[in-house]
Amino acid sequence: MTAIAFDNTYARQLEGFHVPWKPATAPAPRLLYANTALAAELGLDPALLQGPQAAATWAGNQLPEGAEPIAQAYAGHQFGGFSPQLGDGRALLLGEVMDTSGRRRDIAFKGSGRTPFSRGGDGKAAVGPMLREVLIGEAMHALGIPTTRALAVVATGERVMRELPLPGAVLTRVAASHLRVGTFQFYAARGDLARLRQLTDYTIHRHDPALAGRPDAPLALLQAVAQRQARLIAQWMNVGFIHGVMNTDNMALSGETIDYGPCAFMEAYNPAAVFSSIDHGGRYAYANQPHIARWNLARFAETLLPLIAGSEEEADTQRAVEQAMAVIDGFPALYEAALLDGQRAKLGLVAGSGDDAQDRQLAADWLALLEAQAVDFTLGWRRLADAAEGREQALLALFTDAAPLQAWLQRWRQRADLPLAQDGVVSEATTQRAAAMRRASPFVIPRNHRVEEALTAATMDDDLQPFQRLLAALQQPFSETPELLPYGQPAPAAVTACYQTFCGT
Ligand code: AMP
Ligand code: MG
């Protein structure tokens, strides 16, 4: 058995935060996916992902040497309601490794069987949702958005009972950590101040070591988490990503996107877009995501209050509340700034130049046009880059009414200092600007119908080819080669109209 150089600080330093546990045995493991690029980044022996042994390893039948599997405790607000005990009901942390860049990364299973936190669940996962995590995670990574990533997916050879019996799978997930808002909530809900302090120190050492030892470290941690979330959600919004279940147990303190369940990318621009079948009230709709991030941040702040206060004195508590509120109230500005940075790149505006309010309005008016005419979000932005070079046909073709677009384009050209091409001659500077816009606005995103097509073929026909082809396309989101064209097209409107995603259970 090939060893992995695990260094398991969570297991060793945080006693009482987890339960040692063993994965279930898979009857007939078969490797469906292995991420060799990620394995190299982690400094793993490539042999770990090859040959007959690999399936047994990543199914959990024969753990790599050095693994100390644990189920982590956490709580969480789910759709606004608090559950004091959730925890790894179908996941296990195998351990941590230092990657080739010196970053500590968790290696964890998902779907590896029941644990003491499973409640009514079977602890298992199905092939479709686990391959979905691969596709969306790798797409996000290629888009430059912080994310957990899949290292491997193994079909277990057993059926899991969902609405229909489905082939079961175990996913191996790599994360900067699995520390969540919900991890803090678990101890706050129990009034366990000693463990909250321990967890805070651990989180700071792991994610914000520069803050260690500062007298105001808990408040500074809150601020750092706020900054990471602001940047993350702005990136989601600028690619049209809808997470679908922004519960506090699914908000990672690392600032990575985590837990790809009923998530989806928007096609026609619609701020109210919701895809999740369980999100009846639209709590986690596209446009609500920044508000929910702030709400989750407030829940995180509540857990930190006694540490920010530093004593139980009334005056200290009062001051802590004010300091925490200042961070939470400051979140919208952090988010707006991050959003505007991204929008400026997409609009071809030079970073740091121009009037913020005017540029915000320019972006908002563009989005209003996309919404009013139900234009595909991804293609709309992408074709704007063509328009920068004077090629407006493809952009115009996306709109039913050209007049308001023409008016907006005129404003944009002026602001962006992009004069119309004279006799089709485009300057080198303009070409470069358009190229920069294309690096900010992808052509290939995980289109819902493509994802479904790939997962259906894998689940129903054991055919992994559509999955592999889609994955290859998603790994080059900013290219627009002829082979990629089929992956850049929106679904037929009828498909989108009834598209729903289901929790990856
Ligand atoms: P999620 O919706 O995947 O973020 O999970 C929320 C909570 O439900 C976590 O505590 C999970 O461990 C738990 N959970 C989800 N699916 C299952 C399952 N099939 N078996 C046991 N626990 C589960
Ligand atoms: Mg979760």
Side-chain angles (χ1 to χ4, degrees), residues 57 72 101 104 153 158 170 203 210 222 248 254 282 285 308 350 391 398 435 439 450 454 491 494:
T57 300
Q72 293 177 307
S101 320
R104 184 176 294 276
V153 176
E158 72 179 359
V170 175
T203 305
L222 176 64
T248 56
S254 64
I308 296 172
V350 179
R391 292 183 288 117
L398 297 173
R439 288 193 297 273
R450 290 289 175 198

Side-chain angles (χ1 to χ4, degrees), residues 74 78 86-87 90 110 173 180 243 245 247 249-251 258-259:
Y74 56 85
Q78 301 183 302
L86 294 169
R90 57 163 172 172
K110 185 164 174 180
R173 177 161 83 181
R180 315 147 190 265
H243 183 283
V245 234
N247 294 335
D249 52 306
N250 290 339
M251 180 160 148
I258 191 166
D259 257 357

Side-chain angles (χ1 to χ4, degrees), residues 74 78 86-90 110 117-119 121-124 162 249-250 259 503 505:
Y74 56 85
Q78 301 183 302
L86 294 169
D88 284 338
R90 57 163 172 172
K110 185 164 174 180
F117 300 108
S118 296
R119 296 168 294 158
D122 61 0
K124 300 288 170 75
R162 296 296 180 260
D249 52 306
N250 290 339
D259 257 357
C503 240
T505 40

Side-chain angles (χ1 to χ4, degrees), residues 350-375:
V350 179
S353 77
D355 177 84
D356 284 3
Q358 269 176 26
D359 287 350
R360 264 191 197 113
Q361 197 56 52
L362 189 68
D365 292 345
W366 160 253
L367 292 175
L369 276 178
L370 296 186
E371 184 183 0
Q373 304 199 34
V375 175

Side-chain angles (χ1 to χ4, degrees), residues 7 25 27 44 48 68 96 112 121 153-154 167 185 208 228 238 273 279 316 320 359 361 371 419 428 474:
D7 176 31
T25 302
L44 302 186
L48 275 163
E68 298 175 73
E96 304 140 33
S112 49
V153 176
V154 174
Q185 289 183 294
D208 298 286
R228 286 195 281 271
N238 275 329
D279 191 2
D316 288 335
D359 287 350
Q361 197 56 52
E371 184 183 0
E428 178 57 26
L474 293 172

